Amino acid sequence: MSFHVLVSCTSSRHGFLLLLRCRRSCWLRTLSGSLRESYRLLQLPEDESISPEKAKESYLRLARLYHPDCGAPTADAALFTRVEEAYRSVLAHRSEARRRDVVQDEDEDSSTGVAPQHRHYLSYEGVGSGTPSQRERHYRHFRADRAAEQVLDYRQREHERAAAAEGALMERDMRQRSKSIKITQAVERLVEDLIQESMARGDFRNLSGAGKPLNKFQHNPYADPMTHNLNRILLDNGYQPPWVLTQRDIREAAARIRGELLDGLAGLGEPLGPTERLRWDELCAHAEEELAKLNKKVDSYNLIVPMLQMQMVHFSLAREVRRAEEAAGRRRLEQRQRRKEERKRVNAANVAAKSAKRGLVSWMQSWIK
């Protein structure tokens, strides 16, 4: 029964398509007289192969001939008006014909794209509905969703496997930690038992300082014992607070900059000439850049230092230059003093050598006589 209905539906659709083709083939016979006149005025053939571009080209060519303002001897306002109306009629007719062609193509696609119902599930795994292109699009979406679900399932399984492995590691660590705790507690119980036995025998009765408090914090009796113990543990393990490390870096950088200024000034000599002055200005500019970086470290240090009295002030180039000049003056004075002492020592040695030489010469002369 369903097969006969399908055959009848298919034959009726083919009949409808045949009727459309017949109407399309004889469209010129149904043209009205005014439309034929429009094609004749535009000098266009009366067939369906005329494009809007050809119609526009013919209209422009005739407009150049018959427009009242063209200045040609063939100018005719009435004829130009008729040509313009004919052009509009042809365009309207062509748009209507194109719309009928589109409707006919859609009907052909819908008639040829429908598959029998019993063939819908022979492709695309039975997914989708509608035309083959629509079913293919639905099937692509279905495959993408299925791939995303498979990826999520795989990630979930990997996370579960990693969690299980991490749980096994944590369980093993807990067993080892509990074992070490048990051993430690056993040793502590053993030591406590030995202490109690010694106390029962009276081994701790004659100790010096019995009954007196322990002086564990003689350096600072107001310090919290817990804080002191924590600080001692940190120091024993090599821990240093960040502000201590920053303070050390600031001191080392300041000492380095001062040493560079002092060495540079001492190497230039006391009366600075033009060349020496230029070198000294370059050295001061470099020191100023280094001091700017050092002052940033000072700002960071002042924010983290625990006590207000330990904060630092910024380093000044003028103060450092003055310090370097004073140190260079003291160094030059020490160098002069050392050179003077060295000259005195050399002169004393020369005098002693000359006196020894004269004594030797006089002895030899007396011996010869």
Side-chain angles (χ1 to χ4, degrees):
M1 182 66 180
S2 59
F3 177 73
H4 291 292
V5 172
L6 181 63
V7 171
S8 61
C9 293
T10 306
S11 59
S12 62
R13 188 176 292 107
H14 282 293
F16 177 71
L17 293 176
L18 182 61
L19 178 61
L20 288 177
R21 290 192 183 95
C22 292
R23 290 181 60 185
R24 184 176 180 180
S25 61
C26 62
W27 71 283
L28 284 175
R29 291 194 298 272
T30 60
L31 291 179
S32 61
S34 60
L35 191 58
R36 285 198 188 92
E37 184 67 19
S38 299
Y39 275 94
R40 188 184 63 78
L41 284 175
L42 293 176
Q43 300 177 2
L44 296 174
E46 298 179 356
D47 56 6
E48 58 179 350
S49 62
I50 299 301
S51 63
E53 289 76 11
K54 291 183 179 179
K56 183 177 181 180
E57 182 180 356
S58 179
Y59 166 71
L60 293 177
R61 179 172 52 80
L62 294 175
R64 295 189 191 97
L65 292 175
Y66 302 127
H67 198 277
D69 300 332
C70 66
T74 57
D76 189 351
L79 187 57
F80 174 74
T81 304
R82 292 178 57 191
V83 169
E84 186 175 7
E85 292 178 354
Y87 176 63
R88 292 178 181 176
S89 300
V90 170
L91 288 182
H93 182 259
R94 292 307 310 157
S95 63
E96 180 67 22
R98 189 162 53 252
R99 186 183 63 80
R100 286 198 304 267
D101 294 341
V102 170
V103 172
Q104 182 179 356
D105 293 339
E106 290 180 353
D107 292 339
E108 290 179 357
D109 293 340
S110 62
S111 63
T112 56
V114 176
Q117 294 181 359
H118 64 279
R119 295 181 181 272
H120 279 185
Y121 299 97
L122 297 181
S123 60
Y124 304 126
E125 301 181 11
V127 177
S129 60
T131 62
S133 59
Q134 294 175 352
R135 295 185 65 241
E136 183 181 3
R137 187 162 55 252
H138 295 167
Y139 182 63
R140 287 200 298 267
H141 291 307
F142 169 74
R143 290 186 61 186
D145 295 339
R146 184 171 60 185
E149 291 178 358
Q150 292 176 356
V151 169
L152 290 177
D153 293 340
Y154 174 76
R155 289 181 177 176
Q156 185 176 1
R157 289 195 300 270
E158 290 296 323
H159 286 315
E160 292 176 355
R161 189 179 298 110
E166 186 177 0
L169 292 176
M170 290 179 62
E171 185 178 358
R172 186 181 63 184
D173 294 341
M174 288 295 293
R175 286 198 302 267
Q176 294 179 356
R177 194 178 299 112
S178 61
K179 184 177 180 181
S180 62
I181 291 173
K182 290 178 181 178
I183 294 174
T184 305
Q185 291 177 353
V187 173
E188 290 178 354
R189 285 197 301 269
L190 178 60
V191 171
E192 186 67 25
D193 293 341
L194 293 175
I195 292 173
Q196 293 296 331
E197 291 178 1
S198 299
M199 290 176 63
R201 289 195 301 265
D203 295 338
F204 300 131
R205 290 176 184 175
N206 299 324
L207 294 177
S208 61
K212 297 179 181 180
L214 297 176
N215 296 325
K216 296 177 61 177
F217 307 104
Q218 296 179 358
H219 60 283
N220 187 4
Y222 302 103
D224 183 21
M226 183 61 69
T227 304
H228 177 77
N229 291 331
L230 290 176
N231 291 333
R232 181 175 55 80
I233 292 172
L234 292 175
L235 291 175
D236 293 342
N237 288 275
Y239 174 78
Q240 293 180 352
W243 65 270
V244 174
L245 299 177
T246 307
Q247 185 184 41
R248 184 191 63 187
D249 295 340
I250 291 173
R251 289 177 178 173
E252 292 178 355
R256 178 176 54 80
I257 295 172
R258 290 169 180 171
E260 291 177 355
L261 287 175
L262 179 59
D263 295 339
L265 185 58
L268 294 176
E270 188 171 358
L272 296 178
T275 307
E276 288 78 3
R277 175 61 63 180
L278 181 61
R279 292 178 57 188
W280 174 245
D281 293 340
E282 293 178 355
L283 186 60
C284 291
H286 177 69
E288 188 175 6
E289 295 178 359
E290 295 294 328
L291 288 176
K293 297 178 182 178
L294 188 59
N295 289 331
K296 291 183 180 180
K297 288 187 178 181
V298 170
D299 293 336
S300 302
Y301 167 78
N302 291 335
L303 292 175
I304 62 176
V305 68
M307 289 177 286
L308 187 63
Q309 295 80 2
M310 299 183 64
Q311 290 188 348
M312 295 182 179
V313 296
H314 282 186
F315 291 88
S316 174
L317 178 63
R319 187 167 57 249
E320 298 300 329
V321 168
R322 187 169 58 254
R323 184 196 296 265
E325 291 175 351
E326 294 176 357
R330 290 193 299 269
R331 179 181 293 185
R332 293 192 189 100
L333 185 60
E334 293 175 358
Q335 290 177 356
R336 290 196 200 99
Q337 192 68 22
R338 285 197 298 269
R339 285 196 295 268
K340 190 182 294 184
E341 293 177 356
E342 186 68 23
R343 282 197 298 269
K344 287 181 180 179
R345 192 181 304 108
V346 171
N347 292 332
N350 292 333
V351 169
K354 288 179 181 179
S355 61
K357 185 177 181 180
R358 283 196 300 268
L360 180 62
V361 169
S362 61
W363 177 79
M364 291 180 65
Q365 288 176 356
S366 64
W367 183 75
I368 292 173
K369 290 178 180 181

